[in-house]
Amino acid sequence: MKTKVYVVDDHAMVRRGLAAMIGLEPDMEFIGEAADCAAATAELGKLRPNVVVVDISLRGNSGIELIKNIKVIDPAIRVVVLSVHDETTYALRALKAGAKAYVMKMDAGSKVIDAIRKVSKGQMYISEDVGSQMFNRLAQGQHEGDSPVAGLSDRELEVVNLIGAGYATREIAARLHMGIKTVETHRAHIKAKINLTSGTKLVQFCIRWVEESKRLSLAPAPMENILETMRVREA
C-alpha cells in the first residue's frame, strides 16, 4: 500500500516541486496540497493522509499550530516539518507539538523523501544539518533557555514574528483569528517575559528578532534543491 502524502506550504512552486518528487516514488502517492492552516485543516479530515509535510511559516496560523490541529484530527497522521528556520528555536517546538521529522529547506530534496519514508514506518527523522546544530549547541554548553524567546509560548512567538514583520495589533488579530484584547495580552506577556519596559522596545526587539531569523535562514532556494534531486534521479 502506498504512503499517502499531503503538502502544506505557502509557496506554490515548493508544493509543485514536492508533488513531482513524491510522484516519482513507487511507494508514495501525492493526494493534495494547501497554502495555509485553514485550508489544510478543512481537507485533512476528509483525505486522511498517512504523512503531512508542513512548513513552519504559513499565512494565518503557523505550522506549529497546524501540527497541533493534525494531532486532534487524527493522531495516526505523521508530520514532517520542512522549514527555512534555524533549529535553535523551532525544531524542538515542532517535535513537542507532535512532528516526527524536521528537515531544513537548504537540505537536498532527497532528505524530504527519506523523512517521509522513515516517519511512515513509525520512526523519527532529523536531517544531518539539524542534528549537527543540536550537537554543536550541546557541545558548547548551550541549551533552550539561551534563546531570548525560549520562555514564550508558541502563540506568543507568532505574535513576535508578526510584530517584527510590521503588522499592527488589529492586523495580527485578524491573521491569527483572535480578539484585539487577546493580542494586547500576548504583547504584555511577551514584554514581561523578555523584560522589556515599553511598547517601543518590544517593537524594536521583534524587528531585530525577525531580521536575525532571516539572516540565519539564508540558504539556497528550496526549489533549487528539489529540482536538483529530480535531475539526479532522472539522469
Side-chain angles (χ1 to χ4, degrees):
M1 182 179 295
K2 292 187 177 183
T3 298
K4 297 183 292 183
V5 184
Y6 189 94
V7 174
V8 189
D9 195 295
D10 59 0
H11 293 92
M13 288 297 290
V14 174
R15 298 196 304 273
R16 292 168 189 163
L18 288 171
M21 277 193 64
I22 292 165
L24 294 175
E25 302 301 320
D27 58 337
M28 297 181 190
E29 178 185 3
F30 180 82
I31 65 168
E33 63 182 79
D36 56 52
C37 182
T41 301
E43 283 198 324
L44 290 174
K46 303 173 184 176
L47 298 177
R48 300 285 174 168
N50 302 114
V51 178
V52 180
V53 180
V54 176
D55 188 7
I56 290 291
S57 299
L58 298 171
R59 292 191 292 272
N61 290 344
S62 73
I64 298 293
E65 291 301 312
L66 176 57
I67 295 168
K68 295 175 181 178
N69 289 348
I70 291 172
K71 294 296 103 178
V72 173
I73 293 170
D74 186 350
I77 296 175
R78 311 293 184 179
V79 177
V80 172
V81 172
L82 178 63
S83 177
V84 298
H85 289 293
D86 172 68
E87 61 77 30
T88 304
T89 302
Y90 291 96
L92 189 56
R93 288 177 183 266
L95 296 174
K96 284 182 175 179
K100 296 299 181 183
Y102 195 96
V103 182
M104 300 287 286
K105 281 186 175 178
M106 67 182 69
D107 291 329
S110 59
K111 300 291 186 182
V112 184
I113 297 300
D114 290 343
I116 293 171
R117 196 163 278 129
K118 283 282 181 66
V119 303
S120 68
K121 297 176 181 178
Q123 303 172 17
M124 296 192 70
Y125 182 95
I126 297 177
S127 65
E128 292 180 7
D129 284 344
V130 173
S132 177
Q133 289 183 52
M134 288 183 167
F135 177 80
N136 288 336
R137 286 176 58 210
L138 289 172
Q140 295 168 13
Q142 298 175 347
H143 50 80
E144 186 182 6
D146 291 326
S147 170
V149 299
L152 302 184
S153 68
D154 294 334
R155 182 63 86 189
E156 288 165 353
L157 183 56
E158 283 187 271
V159 173
V160 166
N161 284 319
L162 290 173
I163 293 173
Y167 291 96
T169 298
R170 186 176 298 277
E171 294 172 312
I172 294 172
R175 288 178 68 89
L176 298 182
H177 307 291
M178 61 176 63
I180 292 176
K181 288 186 177 180
T182 302
V183 177
E184 291 174 343
T185 298
H186 284 315
R187 289 174 64 106
H189 288 166
I190 294 165
K191 284 196 299 180
K193 290 179 179 181
I194 306 179
N195 296 318
L196 301 170
T197 57
S198 69
T200 300
K201 289 185 177 180
L202 171 63
V203 172
Q204 291 172 343
F205 170 85
C206 293
I207 291 173
R208 288 196 303 271
W209 170 256
V210 169
E211 290 177 347
E212 180 66 8
S213 296
K214 288 180 179 178
R215 184 188 68 78
L216 291 173
S217 65
L218 287 176
M223 275 304 300
E224 292 179 7
N225 293 321
I226 292 171
L227 293 174
E228 178 59 28
T229 299
M230 290 179 64
R231 283 193 290 268
V232 170
R233 287 169 178 261
E234 292 172 350

